[in-house]
PDB file of all heavy atoms in Angstrom:
ATOM      1  N   PHE A  20      -6.168  34.033  42.125  1.00 88.00           N
ATOM      2  CA  PHE A  20      -7.595  33.913  41.819  1.00 88.00           C
ATOM      3  C   PHE A  20      -8.120  32.499  42.024  1.00 88.00           C
ATOM      4  O   PHE A  20      -9.326  32.287  41.923  1.00 88.00           O
ATOM      5  CB  PHE A  20      -7.837  34.315  40.350  1.00 88.00           C
ATOM      6  CG  PHE A  20      -7.470  35.725  40.025  1.00 88.00           C
ATOM      7  CD1 PHE A  20      -6.168  36.069  39.661  1.00 88.00           C
ATOM      8  CD2 PHE A  20      -8.423  36.735  40.111  1.00 88.00           C
ATOM      9  CE1 PHE A  20      -5.827  37.373  39.354  1.00 88.00           C
ATOM     10  CE2 PHE A  20      -8.094  38.036  39.809  1.00 88.00           C
ATOM     11  CZ  PHE A  20      -6.801  38.373  39.439  1.00 88.00           C
ATOM     12  N   TYR A  21      -7.230  31.564  42.313  1.00 86.00           N
ATOM     13  CA  TYR A  21      -7.660  30.148  42.332  1.00 86.00           C
ATOM     14  C   TYR A  21      -8.160  29.711  43.672  1.00 86.00           C
ATOM     15  O   TYR A  21      -7.511  29.949  44.705  1.00 86.00           O
ATOM     16  CB  TYR A  21      -6.477  29.255  41.895  1.00 86.00           C
ATOM     17  CG  TYR A  21      -6.860  27.791  41.833  1.00 86.00           C
ATOM     18  CD1 TYR A  21      -7.868  27.361  41.019  1.00 86.00           C
ATOM     19  CD2 TYR A  21      -6.186  26.863  42.637  1.00 86.00           C
ATOM     20  CE1 TYR A  21      -8.239  26.019  40.969  1.00 86.00           C
ATOM     21  CE2 TYR A  21      -6.536  25.528  42.591  1.00 86.00           C
ATOM     22  CZ  TYR A  21      -7.555  25.106  41.744  1.00 86.00           C
ATOM     23  OH  TYR A  21      -7.903  23.784  41.707  1.00 86.00           O
ATOM     24  N   GLN A  22      -9.312  29.090  43.671  1.00 75.00           N
ATOM     25  CA  GLN A  22      -9.873  28.494  44.884  1.00 75.00           C
ATOM     26  C   GLN A  22      -9.964  26.992  44.661  1.00 75.00           C
ATOM     27  O   GLN A  22     -10.774  26.517  43.865  1.00 75.00           O
ATOM     28  CB  GLN A  22     -11.263  29.077  45.169  1.00 75.00           C
ATOM     29  CG  GLN A  22     -11.260  30.542  45.482  1.00 75.00           C
ATOM     30  CD  GLN A  22     -12.651  31.095  45.742  1.00 75.00           C
ATOM     31  OE1 GLN A  22     -13.640  30.432  45.522  1.00 75.00           O
ATOM     32  NE2 GLN A  22     -12.706  32.298  46.271  1.00 75.00           N
ATOM     33  N   PRO A  23      -9.118  26.218  45.360  1.00 67.00           N
ATOM     34  CA  PRO A  23      -9.095  24.767  45.142  1.00 67.00           C
ATOM     35  C   PRO A  23     -10.457  24.129  45.358  1.00 67.00           C
ATOM     36  O   PRO A  23     -11.229  24.535  46.208  1.00 67.00           O
ATOM     37  CB  PRO A  23      -8.097  24.283  46.211  1.00 67.00           C
ATOM     38  CG  PRO A  23      -7.218  25.471  46.485  1.00 67.00           C
ATOM     39  CD  PRO A  23      -8.145  26.660  46.371  1.00 67.00           C
ATOM     40  N   SER A  24     -10.725  23.169  44.530  1.00 55.00           N
ATOM     41  CA  SER A  24     -11.968  22.399  44.647  1.00 55.00           C
ATOM     42  C   SER A  24     -11.648  20.920  44.545  1.00 55.00           C
ATOM     43  O   SER A  24     -10.837  20.494  43.726  1.00 55.00           O
ATOM     44  CB  SER A  24     -12.925  22.775  43.528  1.00 55.00           C
ATOM     45  OG  SER A  24     -14.051  21.934  43.527  1.00 55.00           O
ATOM     46  N   ARG A  25     -12.279  20.125  45.404  1.00 48.00           N
ATOM     47  CA  ARG A  25     -12.047  18.694  45.389  1.00 48.00           C
ATOM     48  C   ARG A  25     -13.244  17.919  44.871  1.00 48.00           C
ATOM     49  O   ARG A  25     -13.456  16.766  45.183  1.00 48.00           O
ATOM     50  CB  ARG A  25     -11.745  18.226  46.838  1.00 48.00           C
ATOM     51  CG  ARG A  25     -10.423  18.761  47.365  1.00 48.00           C
ATOM     52  CD  ARG A  25      -9.253  18.308  46.531  1.00 48.00           C
ATOM     53  NE  ARG A  25      -7.981  18.829  47.039  1.00 48.00           N
ATOM     54  CZ  ARG A  25      -6.813  18.599  46.448  1.00 48.00           C
ATOM     55  NH1 ARG A  25      -6.766  17.872  45.332  1.00 48.00           N
ATOM     56  NH2 ARG A  25      -5.707  19.116  46.953  1.00 48.00           N
ATOM     57  N   GLU A  26     -14.067  18.593  44.048  1.00 48.00           N
ATOM     58  CA  GLU A  26     -15.287  17.954  43.583  1.00 48.00           C
ATOM     59  C   GLU A  26     -15.125  17.338  42.205  1.00 48.00           C
ATOM     60  O   GLU A  26     -16.027  17.342  41.394  1.00 48.00           O
ATOM     61  CB  GLU A  26     -16.436  18.964  43.553  1.00 48.00           C
ATOM     62  CG  GLU A  26     -16.747  19.533  44.936  1.00 48.00           C
ATOM     63  CD  GLU A  26     -17.858  20.555  44.878  1.00 48.00           C
ATOM     64  OE1 GLU A  26     -18.350  20.832  43.755  1.00 48.00           O
ATOM     65  OE2 GLU A  26     -18.246  21.039  45.937  1.00 48.00           O
ATOM     66  N   MET A  27     -13.931  16.766  41.925  1.00 46.00           N
ATOM     67  CA  MET A  27     -13.704  16.097  40.646  1.00 46.00           C
ATOM     68  C   MET A  27     -14.438  14.756  40.651  1.00 46.00           C
ATOM     69  O   MET A  27     -14.385  13.999  41.600  1.00 46.00           O
ATOM     70  CB  MET A  27     -12.216  15.854  40.416  1.00 46.00           C
ATOM     71  CG  MET A  27     -11.430  17.116  40.183  1.00 46.00           C
ATOM     72  SD  MET A  27     -11.985  17.987  38.678  1.00 46.00           S
ATOM     73  CE  MET A  27     -11.610  16.752  37.434  1.00 46.00           C
ATOM     74  N   PRO A  28     -15.183  14.426  39.573  1.00 51.00           N
ATOM     75  CA  PRO A  28     -15.884  13.154  39.492  1.00 51.00           C
ATOM     76  C   PRO A  28     -14.915  11.993  39.671  1.00 51.00           C
ATOM     77  O   PRO A  28     -13.879  11.923  39.009  1.00 51.00           O
ATOM     78  CB  PRO A  28     -16.499  13.189  38.097  1.00 51.00           C
ATOM     79  CG  PRO A  28     -16.560  14.626  37.712  1.00 51.00           C
ATOM     80  CD  PRO A  28     -15.365  15.262  38.366  1.00 51.00           C
ATOM     81  N   ALA A  29     -15.271  11.064  40.522  1.00 53.00           N
ATOM     82  CA  ALA A  29     -14.400   9.931  40.811  1.00 53.00           C
ATOM     83  C   ALA A  29     -14.155   9.084  39.563  1.00 53.00           C
ATOM     84  O   ALA A  29     -13.096   8.517  39.389  1.00 53.00           O
ATOM     85  CB  ALA A  29     -15.004   9.073  41.911  1.00 53.00           C
ATOM     86  N   THR A  30     -15.149   9.015  38.675  1.00 58.00           N
ATOM     87  CA  THR A  30     -14.992   8.226  37.457  1.00 58.00           C
ATOM     88  C   THR A  30     -13.897   8.747  36.546  1.00 58.00           C
ATOM     89  O   THR A  30     -13.264   8.003  35.817  1.00 58.00           O
ATOM     90  CB  THR A  30     -16.307   8.166  36.679  1.00 58.00           C
ATOM     91  OG1 THR A  30     -16.790   9.515  36.473  1.00 58.00           O
ATOM     92  CG2 THR A  30     -17.361   7.366  37.420  1.00 58.00           C
ATOM     93  N   PHE A  31     -13.655  10.076  36.608  1.00 57.00           N
ATOM     94  CA  PHE A  31     -12.588  10.663  35.790  1.00 57.00           C
ATOM     95  C   PHE A  31     -11.215  10.455  36.448  1.00 57.00           C
ATOM     96  O   PHE A  31     -10.256  10.064  35.821  1.00 57.00           O
ATOM     97  CB  PHE A  31     -12.863  12.153  35.595  1.00 57.00           C
ATOM     98  CG  PHE A  31     -14.025  12.453  34.703  1.00 57.00           C
ATOM     99  CD1 PHE A  31     -14.659  13.673  34.781  1.00 57.00           C
ATOM    100  CD2 PHE A  31     -14.507  11.516  33.790  1.00 57.00           C
ATOM    101  CE1 PHE A  31     -15.738  13.981  33.969  1.00 57.00           C
ATOM    102  CE2 PHE A  31     -15.580  11.796  32.984  1.00 57.00           C
ATOM    103  CZ  PHE A  31     -16.215  13.021  33.061  1.00 57.00           C
ATOM    104  N   THR A  32     -11.150  10.793  37.721  1.00 67.00           N
ATOM    105  CA  THR A  32      -9.849  10.761  38.390  1.00 67.00           C
ATOM    106  C   THR A  32      -9.353   9.341  38.636  1.00 67.00           C
ATOM    107  O   THR A  32      -8.132   9.134  38.740  1.00 67.00           O
ATOM    108  CB  THR A  32      -9.933  11.491  39.739  1.00 67.00           C
ATOM    109  OG1 THR A  32     -10.956  10.866  40.555  1.00 67.00           O
ATOM    110  CG2 THR A  32     -10.306  12.945  39.526  1.00 67.00           C
ATOM    111  N   ALA A  33     -10.259   8.369  38.715  1.00 81.00           N
ATOM    112  CA  ALA A  33      -9.838   6.999  39.023  1.00 81.00           C
ATOM    113  C   ALA A  33      -8.900   6.426  37.979  1.00 81.00           C
ATOM    114  O   ALA A  33      -8.059   5.582  38.288  1.00 81.00           O
ATOM    115  CB  ALA A  33     -11.058   6.088  39.180  1.00 81.00           C
ATOM    116  N   LEU A  34      -9.013   6.871  36.745  1.00 81.00           N
ATOM    117  CA  LEU A  34      -8.220   6.328  35.665  1.00 81.00           C
ATOM    118  C   LEU A  34      -6.895   7.038  35.460  1.00 81.00           C
ATOM    119  O   LEU A  34      -6.025   6.566  34.716  1.00 81.00           O
ATOM    120  CB  LEU A  34      -9.004   6.395  34.339  1.00 81.00           C
ATOM    121  CG  LEU A  34     -10.257   5.517  34.276  1.00 81.00           C
ATOM    122  CD1 LEU A  34     -11.009   5.824  32.992  1.00 81.00           C
ATOM    123  CD2 LEU A  34      -9.921   4.052  34.357  1.00 81.00           C
ATOM    124  N   MET A  35      -6.689   8.165  36.106  1.00 77.00           N
ATOM    125  CA  MET A  35      -5.479   8.964  35.869  1.00 77.00           C
ATOM    126  C   MET A  35      -4.181   8.222  36.139  1.00 77.00           C
ATOM    127  O   MET A  35      -3.217   8.390  35.388  1.00 77.00           O
ATOM    128  CB  MET A  35      -5.532  10.275  36.675  1.00 77.00           C
ATOM    129  CG  MET A  35      -6.634  11.232  36.196  1.00 77.00           C
ATOM    130  SD  MET A  35      -6.573  11.613  34.438  1.00 77.00           S
ATOM    131  CE  MET A  35      -4.989  12.457  34.334  1.00 77.00           C
ATOM    132  N   PRO A  36      -4.070   7.390  37.192  1.00 85.00           N
ATOM    133  CA  PRO A  36      -2.816   6.664  37.393  1.00 85.00           C
ATOM    134  C   PRO A  36      -2.467   5.761  36.190  1.00 85.00           C
ATOM    135  O   PRO A  36      -1.294   5.680  35.797  1.00 85.00           O
ATOM    136  CB  PRO A  36      -3.087   5.827  38.647  1.00 85.00           C
ATOM    137  CG  PRO A  36      -4.113   6.600  39.389  1.00 85.00           C
ATOM    138  CD  PRO A  36      -5.018   7.182  38.338  1.00 85.00           C
ATOM    139  N   ALA A  37      -3.471   5.132  35.593  1.00 87.00           N
ATOM    140  CA  ALA A  37      -3.206   4.262  34.456  1.00 87.00           C
ATOM    141  C   ALA A  37      -2.822   5.089  33.232  1.00 87.00           C
ATOM    142  O   ALA A  37      -1.891   4.749  32.478  1.00 87.00           O
ATOM    143  CB  ALA A  37      -4.434   3.415  34.122  1.00 87.00           C
ATOM    144  N   LEU A  38      -3.534   6.202  33.001  1.00 81.00           N
ATOM    145  CA  LEU A  38      -3.232   7.056  31.860  1.00 81.00           C
ATOM    146  C   LEU A  38      -1.836   7.646  31.937  1.00 81.00           C
ATOM    147  O   LEU A  38      -1.089   7.697  30.965  1.00 81.00           O
ATOM    148  CB  LEU A  38      -4.262   8.168  31.758  1.00 81.00           C
ATOM    149  CG  LEU A  38      -5.717   7.717  31.452  1.00 81.00           C
ATOM    150  CD1 LEU A  38      -6.650   8.917  31.544  1.00 81.00           C
ATOM    151  CD2 LEU A  38      -5.795   7.072  30.092  1.00 81.00           C
ATOM    152  N   SER A  39      -1.461   8.075  33.159  1.00 79.00           N
ATOM    153  CA  SER A  39      -0.130   8.630  33.353  1.00 79.00           C
ATOM    154  C   SER A  39       0.958   7.559  33.141  1.00 79.00           C
ATOM    155  O   SER A  39       2.000   7.820  32.541  1.00 79.00           O
ATOM    156  CB  SER A  39      -0.012   9.226  34.742  1.00 79.00           C
ATOM    157  OG  SER A  39      -0.888  10.311  34.920  1.00 79.00           O
ATOM    158  N   TRP A  40       0.682   6.346  33.620  1.00 86.00           N
ATOM    159  CA  TRP A  40       1.656   5.262  33.478  1.00 86.00           C
ATOM    160  C   TRP A  40       1.840   4.929  31.999  1.00 86.00           C
ATOM    161  O   TRP A  40       2.976   4.744  31.537  1.00 86.00           O
ATOM    162  CB  TRP A  40       1.184   4.028  34.258  1.00 86.00           C
ATOM    163  CG  TRP A  40       2.094   2.870  34.105  1.00 86.00           C
ATOM    164  CD1 TRP A  40       1.968   1.825  33.231  1.00 86.00           C
ATOM    165  CD2 TRP A  40       3.337   2.626  34.807  1.00 86.00           C
ATOM    166  NE1 TRP A  40       3.025   0.953  33.363  1.00 86.00           N
ATOM    167  CE2 TRP A  40       3.879   1.439  34.297  1.00 86.00           C
ATOM    168  CE3 TRP A  40       4.010   3.321  35.802  1.00 86.00           C
ATOM    169  CZ2 TRP A  40       5.076   0.901  34.796  1.00 86.00           C
ATOM    170  CZ3 TRP A  40       5.198   2.793  36.295  1.00 86.00           C
ATOM    171  CH2 TRP A  40       5.717   1.611  35.776  1.00 86.00           C
ATOM    172  N   ILE A  41       0.741   4.806  31.250  1.00 87.00           N
ATOM    173  CA  ILE A  41       0.875   4.510  29.830  1.00 87.00           C
ATOM    174  C   ILE A  41       1.631   5.608  29.113  1.00 87.00           C
ATOM    175  O   ILE A  41       2.503   5.352  28.260  1.00 87.00           O
ATOM    176  CB  ILE A  41      -0.532   4.332  29.196  1.00 87.00           C
ATOM    177  CG1 ILE A  41      -1.207   3.083  29.756  1.00 87.00           C
ATOM    178  CG2 ILE A  41      -0.434   4.261  27.681  1.00 87.00           C
ATOM    179  CD1 ILE A  41      -2.654   2.933  29.285  1.00 87.00           C
ATOM    180  N   GLN A  42       1.372   6.843  29.426  1.00 79.00           N
ATOM    181  CA  GLN A  42       2.033   7.957  28.785  1.00 79.00           C
ATOM    182  C   GLN A  42       3.547   7.917  29.009  1.00 79.00           C
ATOM    183  O   GLN A  42       4.316   8.204  28.110  1.00 79.00           O
ATOM    184  CB  GLN A  42       1.475   9.297  29.317  1.00 79.00           C
ATOM    185  CG  GLN A  42       2.121  10.522  28.724  1.00 79.00           C
ATOM    186  CD  GLN A  42       1.889  10.637  27.238  1.00 79.00           C
ATOM    187  OE1 GLN A  42       0.881  10.164  26.723  1.00 79.00           O
ATOM    188  NE2 GLN A  42       2.793  11.271  26.541  1.00 79.00           N
ATOM    189  N   GLU A  43       3.982   7.547  30.186  1.00 82.00           N
ATOM    190  CA  GLU A  43       5.406   7.558  30.531  1.00 82.00           C
ATOM    191  C   GLU A  43       6.095   6.239  30.208  1.00 82.00           C
ATOM    192  O   GLU A  43       7.314   6.227  29.984  1.00 82.00           O
ATOM    193  CB  GLU A  43       5.575   7.850  32.019  1.00 82.00           C
ATOM    194  CG  GLU A  43       5.101   9.257  32.416  1.00 82.00           C
ATOM    195  CD  GLU A  43       5.263   9.515  33.903  1.00 82.00           C
ATOM    196  OE1 GLU A  43       5.920   8.704  34.579  1.00 82.00           O
ATOM    197  OE2 GLU A  43       4.708  10.528  34.386  1.00 82.00           O
ATOM    198  N   HIS A  44       5.358   5.121  30.147  1.00 89.00           N
ATOM    199  CA  HIS A  44       5.983   3.794  29.995  1.00 89.00           C
ATOM    200  C   HIS A  44       5.350   2.991  28.872  1.00 89.00           C
ATOM    201  O   HIS A  44       5.322   1.763  28.926  1.00 89.00           O
ATOM    202  CB  HIS A  44       5.863   3.029  31.328  1.00 89.00           C
ATOM    203  CG  HIS A  44       6.416   3.730  32.504  1.00 89.00           C
ATOM    204  ND1 HIS A  44       7.773   3.809  32.783  1.00 89.00           N
ATOM    205  CD2 HIS A  44       5.803   4.451  33.486  1.00 89.00           C
ATOM    206  CE1 HIS A  44       7.964   4.502  33.891  1.00 89.00           C
ATOM    207  NE2 HIS A  44       6.786   4.888  34.341  1.00 89.00           N
TER     208      HIS A  44
END
């Protein structure tokens, strides 16, 4: 049922590398 979409707001996705790094390290 899933149709991929690439319309994620850049302001949200831009921080994900930092959030993931903090979570793991």
Side-chain angles (χ1 to χ4, degrees):
F20 298 87
Y21 182 59
Q22 296 180 348
S24 171
R25 292 299 179 182
E26 298 179 358
M27 291 299 297
T30 52
F31 290 159
T32 59
L34 295 173
M35 293 306 296
L38 295 174
S39 297
W40 178 263
I41 293 174
Q42 179 64 28
E43 295 179 12
H44 305 281

